[in-house]
Amino acid sequence: QVQLVESGGGLVQAGGSLRLSCAASGRTFRYAMGWFRQAPGKEREFVATITVNGGTTTYADSVKGRFTISRDNAKNTVYLQMNSLKPADTAVYYCAARDSILGHTSTEGYNYWGQGTQVTVSS
């Protein structure tokens, strides 16, 4: 089992930045990781994913060039740096772990989920 705990969410003005963290505990941190988000009344959507060794990252078109996913395996932590935030980025952000070395862009590809952290971007 893997436990995931997100942190770093909050309220920020449009154009601002936030960095989300996801701390993993339990088994050895040998998982591909992903970030997803869910706005009120909408389905959970893919944001970014990273392979086990951090060598490959993939982003949703809506965040490409603004968000950066990274990981520190020594700290069992994955990050999501979010810059140039827009009101459309407002959502609960979830961290997810996948029993694979490769990332995935669908929620069905992940085995473990965190509880989520709220990000609110004001205009």
Side-chain angles (χ1 to χ4, degrees), residues 31-64:
Y31 299 91
M33 301 295 293
W35 284 98
F36 290 76
R37 66 187 183 186
Q38 188 167 17
K42 295 187 176 182
E43 293 187 353
R44 194 169 298 187
E45 65 174 7
F46 167 74
V47 174
T49 186
I50 188 167
T51 52
V52 167
N53 65 2
T56 301
T57 57
T58 305
Y59 298 92
D61 287 343
S62 59
V63 306
K64 202 171 294 183

Short mmCIF file of all heavy atoms in Angstrom, two decimals, residues 31-64:
data_model
loop_
_atom_site.label_atom_id
_atom_site.label_comp_id
_atom_site.label_asym_id
_atom_site.label_seq_id
_atom_site.Cartn_x
_atom_site.Cartn_y
_atom_site.Cartn_z
N TYR A 31 7.16 4.32 -8.23
CA TYR A 31 5.92 4.45 -8.97
C TYR A 31 6.01 5.61 -9.93
O TYR A 31 6.58 6.66 -9.60
CB TYR A 31 4.75 4.71 -8.02
CG TYR A 31 4.51 3.61 -7.02
CD1 TYR A 31 5.12 3.63 -5.77
CD2 TYR A 31 3.67 2.54 -7.33
CE1 TYR A 31 4.89 2.64 -4.86
CE2 TYR A 31 3.45 1.53 -6.42
CZ TYR A 31 4.06 1.58 -5.19
OH TYR A 31 3.85 0.58 -4.29
N ALA A 32 5.41 5.46 -11.07
CA ALA A 32 5.13 6.62 -11.90
C ALA A 32 4.06 7.43 -11.18
O ALA A 32 3.20 6.87 -10.50
CB ALA A 32 4.65 6.20 -13.28
N MET A 33 4.13 8.74 -11.32
CA MET A 33 3.22 9.61 -10.57
C MET A 33 2.47 10.53 -11.51
O MET A 33 2.94 10.85 -12.61
CB MET A 33 4.02 10.45 -9.58
CG MET A 33 4.82 9.65 -8.57
SD MET A 33 3.78 8.69 -7.45
CE MET A 33 2.99 10.01 -6.54
N GLY A 34 1.31 10.96 -11.05
CA GLY A 34 0.52 11.88 -11.85
C GLY A 34 -0.18 12.90 -10.98
O GLY A 34 -0.39 12.68 -9.78
N TRP A 35 -0.53 14.00 -11.60
CA TRP A 35 -1.38 15.01 -10.99
C TRP A 35 -2.65 15.12 -11.83
O TRP A 35 -2.58 15.17 -13.06
CB TRP A 35 -0.70 16.37 -10.92
CG TRP A 35 0.35 16.49 -9.86
CD1 TRP A 35 1.69 16.36 -10.02
CD2 TRP A 35 0.14 16.79 -8.48
NE1 TRP A 35 2.33 16.56 -8.83
CE2 TRP A 35 1.40 16.83 -7.86
CE3 TRP A 35 -0.99 17.04 -7.70
CZ2 TRP A 35 1.57 17.09 -6.50
CZ3 TRP A 35 -0.84 17.30 -6.36
CH2 TRP A 35 0.43 17.33 -5.76
N PHE A 36 -3.77 15.18 -11.15
CA PHE A 36 -5.06 15.37 -11.77
C PHE A 36 -5.78 16.50 -11.04
O PHE A 36 -5.39 16.88 -9.94
CB PHE A 36 -5.90 14.08 -11.69
CG PHE A 36 -5.38 12.97 -12.56
CD1 PHE A 36 -4.25 12.24 -12.18
CD2 PHE A 36 -6.01 12.65 -13.74
CE1 PHE A 36 -3.76 11.22 -12.98
CE2 PHE A 36 -5.53 11.62 -14.56
CZ PHE A 36 -4.41 10.91 -14.17
N ARG A 37 -6.84 17.00 -11.63
CA ARG A 37 -7.63 18.02 -10.95
C ARG A 37 -9.11 17.85 -11.28
O ARG A 37 -9.47 17.27 -12.31
CB ARG A 37 -7.16 19.42 -11.36
CG ARG A 37 -7.41 19.79 -12.81
CD ARG A 37 -6.74 21.13 -13.13
NE ARG A 37 -7.00 21.54 -14.50
CZ ARG A 37 -6.44 22.60 -15.07
NH1 ARG A 37 -5.59 23.36 -14.38
NH2 ARG A 37 -6.73 22.92 -16.32
N GLN A 38 -9.92 18.35 -10.37
CA GLN A 38 -11.36 18.25 -10.55
C GLN A 38 -12.02 19.53 -10.09
O GLN A 38 -11.93 19.90 -8.91
CB GLN A 38 -11.92 17.06 -9.77
CG GLN A 38 -13.38 16.78 -10.06
CD GLN A 38 -13.82 15.42 -9.52
OE1 GLN A 38 -13.16 14.80 -8.69
NE2 GLN A 38 -14.92 14.92 -10.03
N ALA A 39 -12.67 20.20 -11.03
CA ALA A 39 -13.42 21.41 -10.73
C ALA A 39 -14.86 21.04 -10.39
O ALA A 39 -15.33 19.97 -10.79
CB ALA A 39 -13.37 22.35 -11.91
N PRO A 40 -15.57 21.90 -9.68
CA PRO A 40 -16.96 21.60 -9.31
C PRO A 40 -17.82 21.30 -10.53
O PRO A 40 -17.80 22.04 -11.53
CB PRO A 40 -17.42 22.88 -8.62
CG PRO A 40 -16.18 23.48 -8.08
CD PRO A 40 -15.12 23.17 -9.09
N GLY A 41 -18.53 20.19 -10.48
CA GLY A 41 -19.43 19.83 -11.56
C GLY A 41 -18.75 19.23 -12.78
O GLY A 41 -19.41 18.96 -13.78
N LYS A 42 -17.44 19.01 -12.69
CA LYS A 42 -16.71 18.47 -13.82
C LYS A 42 -16.03 17.15 -13.45
O LYS A 42 -15.84 16.85 -12.27
CB LYS A 42 -15.67 19.47 -14.32
CG LYS A 42 -16.27 20.74 -14.89
CD LYS A 42 -15.20 21.61 -15.51
CE LYS A 42 -15.79 22.85 -16.16
NZ LYS A 42 -14.74 23.69 -16.81
N GLU A 43 -15.65 16.39 -14.47
CA GLU A 43 -14.94 15.15 -14.22
C GLU A 43 -13.47 15.44 -13.87
O GLU A 43 -12.92 16.49 -14.22
CB GLU A 43 -15.00 14.26 -15.47
CG GLU A 43 -16.39 13.75 -15.78
CD GLU A 43 -16.39 12.74 -16.91
OE1 GLU A 43 -15.33 12.53 -17.53
OE2 GLU A 43 -17.45 12.15 -17.16
N ARG A 44 -12.88 14.48 -13.19
CA ARG A 44 -11.46 14.61 -12.88
C ARG A 44 -10.66 14.53 -14.18
O ARG A 44 -10.89 13.66 -15.01
CB ARG A 44 -11.04 13.50 -11.92
CG ARG A 44 -9.69 13.70 -11.28
CD ARG A 44 -9.46 12.71 -10.16
NE ARG A 44 -10.45 12.88 -9.08
CZ ARG A 44 -10.37 12.23 -7.92
NH1 ARG A 44 -9.37 11.40 -7.68
NH2 ARG A 44 -11.30 12.43 -7.01
N GLU A 45 -9.71 15.45 -14.33
CA GLU A 45 -8.95 15.50 -15.57
C GLU A 45 -7.45 15.44 -15.33
O GLU A 45 -6.94 15.87 -14.28
CB GLU A 45 -9.28 16.78 -16.36
CG GLU A 45 -8.87 18.06 -15.69
CD GLU A 45 -9.10 19.28 -16.58
OE1 GLU A 45 -9.68 19.14 -17.66
OE2 GLU A 45 -8.68 20.39 -16.16
N PHE A 46 -6.77 14.92 -16.31
CA PHE A 46 -5.32 14.77 -16.27
C PHE A 46 -4.63 16.13 -16.32
O PHE A 46 -5.06 17.02 -17.07
CB PHE A 46 -4.88 13.91 -17.45
CG PHE A 46 -3.41 13.94 -17.72
CD1 PHE A 46 -2.54 13.25 -16.88
CD2 PHE A 46 -2.90 14.63 -18.80
CE1 PHE A 46 -1.18 13.26 -17.13
CE2 PHE A 46 -1.54 14.65 -19.05
CZ PHE A 46 -0.68 13.97 -18.22
N VAL A 47 -3.56 16.27 -15.54
CA VAL A 47 -2.75 17.49 -15.56
C VAL A 47 -1.33 17.18 -16.02
O VAL A 47 -0.84 17.79 -16.97
CB VAL A 47 -2.72 18.15 -14.17
CG1 VAL A 47 -1.76 19.34 -14.17
CG2 VAL A 47 -4.12 18.59 -13.75
N ALA A 48 -0.66 16.24 -15.35
CA ALA A 48 0.73 15.95 -15.67
C ALA A 48 1.10 14.59 -15.12
O ALA A 48 0.50 14.11 -14.15
CB ALA A 48 1.66 17.01 -15.10
N THR A 49 2.11 13.97 -15.72
CA THR A 49 2.62 12.70 -15.24
C THR A 49 4.13 12.64 -15.41
O THR A 49 4.68 13.33 -16.26
CB THR A 49 1.92 11.52 -15.94
OG1 THR A 49 2.33 10.29 -15.34
CG2 THR A 49 2.26 11.48 -17.42
N ILE A 50 4.76 11.80 -14.60
CA ILE A 50 6.22 11.68 -14.64
C ILE A 50 6.59 10.22 -14.40
O ILE A 50 5.98 9.52 -13.59
CB ILE A 50 6.86 12.61 -13.57
CG1 ILE A 50 8.37 12.65 -13.71
CG2 ILE A 50 6.44 12.20 -12.16
CD1 ILE A 50 9.02 13.78 -12.89
N THR A 51 7.61 9.74 -15.13
CA THR A 51 8.07 8.37 -14.98
C THR A 51 8.83 8.18 -13.67
O THR A 51 9.15 9.14 -12.98
CB THR A 51 8.97 8.00 -16.16
OG1 THR A 51 10.00 9.00 -16.30
CG2 THR A 51 8.19 7.92 -17.46
N VAL A 52 9.12 6.92 -13.36
CA VAL A 52 9.78 6.60 -12.09
C VAL A 52 11.09 7.34 -11.93
O VAL A 52 11.40 7.89 -10.87
CB VAL A 52 10.00 5.09 -11.97
CG1 VAL A 52 10.95 4.77 -10.81
CG2 VAL A 52 8.69 4.37 -11.76
N ASN A 53 11.89 7.37 -13.00
CA ASN A 53 13.21 8.03 -12.89
C ASN A 53 13.16 9.51 -13.19
O ASN A 53 14.19 10.18 -13.18
CB ASN A 53 14.21 7.33 -13.82
CG ASN A 53 13.84 7.49 -15.28
OD1 ASN A 53 12.85 8.14 -15.63
ND2 ASN A 53 14.62 6.89 -16.16
N GLY A 54 11.97 10.03 -13.48
CA GLY A 54 11.83 11.46 -13.75
C GLY A 54 12.29 11.88 -15.12
O GLY A 54 12.30 13.08 -15.42
N GLY A 55 12.64 10.92 -15.95
CA GLY A 55 13.21 11.28 -17.24
C GLY A 55 12.21 11.73 -18.27
O GLY A 55 12.58 12.41 -19.24
N THR A 56 10.95 11.35 -18.10
CA THR A 56 9.92 11.71 -19.07
C THR A 56 8.72 12.31 -18.36
O THR A 56 8.23 11.74 -17.38
CB THR A 56 9.48 10.49 -19.88
OG1 THR A 56 10.61 9.94 -20.56
CG2 THR A 56 8.42 10.85 -20.90
N THR A 57 8.27 13.43 -18.88
CA THR A 57 7.07 14.08 -18.35
C THR A 57 6.08 14.33 -19.47
O THR A 57 6.48 14.50 -20.63
CB THR A 57 7.41 15.42 -17.67
OG1 THR A 57 8.08 16.26 -18.61
CG2 THR A 57 8.32 15.21 -16.46
N THR A 58 4.82 14.34 -19.13
CA THR A 58 3.76 14.61 -20.10
C THR A 58 2.75 15.55 -19.45
O THR A 58 2.46 15.41 -18.25
CB THR A 58 3.04 13.31 -20.50
OG1 THR A 58 4.01 12.38 -21.00
CG2 THR A 58 2.00 13.55 -21.58
N TYR A 59 2.24 16.48 -20.25
CA TYR A 59 1.33 17.49 -19.72
C TYR A 59 0.05 17.59 -20.55
O TYR A 59 0.07 17.36 -21.76
CB TYR A 59 2.00 18.87 -19.72
CG TYR A 59 3.22 18.94 -18.84
CD1 TYR A 59 4.48 18.69 -19.36
CD2 TYR A 59 3.11 19.26 -17.49
CE1 TYR A 59 5.61 18.74 -18.55
CE2 TYR A 59 4.23 19.32 -16.67
CZ TYR A 59 5.47 19.06 -17.22
OH TYR A 59 6.59 19.11 -16.41
N ALA A 60 -1.00 18.00 -19.88
CA ALA A 60 -2.22 18.36 -20.61
C ALA A 60 -1.94 19.64 -21.39
O ALA A 60 -1.16 20.50 -20.94
CB ALA A 60 -3.37 18.57 -19.63
N ASP A 61 -2.58 19.78 -22.54
CA ASP A 61 -2.36 20.98 -23.35
C ASP A 61 -2.70 22.25 -22.59
O ASP A 61 -2.07 23.29 -22.80
CB ASP A 61 -3.21 20.90 -24.62
CG ASP A 61 -2.68 19.88 -25.61
OD1 ASP A 61 -1.51 19.46 -25.48
OD2 ASP A 61 -3.44 19.49 -26.51
N SER A 62 -3.67 22.17 -21.71
CA SER A 62 -4.14 23.36 -21.00
C SER A 62 -3.12 23.91 -20.01
O SER A 62 -3.22 25.07 -19.60
CB SER A 62 -5.44 23.04 -20.26
OG SER A 62 -5.25 21.99 -19.34
N VAL A 63 -2.13 23.10 -19.63
CA VAL A 63 -1.14 23.55 -18.64
C VAL A 63 0.28 23.58 -19.21
O VAL A 63 1.20 24.04 -18.52
CB VAL A 63 -1.18 22.69 -17.37
CG1 VAL A 63 -2.58 22.62 -16.80
CG2 VAL A 63 -0.62 21.29 -17.61
N LYS A 64 0.45 23.09 -20.41
CA LYS A 64 1.78 23.00 -21.00
C LYS A 64 2.42 24.38 -21.07
O LYS A 64 1.80 25.35 -21.50
CB LYS A 64 1.67 22.39 -22.39
CG LYS A 64 2.93 21.75 -22.92
CD LYS A 64 2.66 20.99 -24.20
CE LYS A 64 1.76 19.80 -23.98
NZ LYS A 64 1.54 19.00 -25.20
#
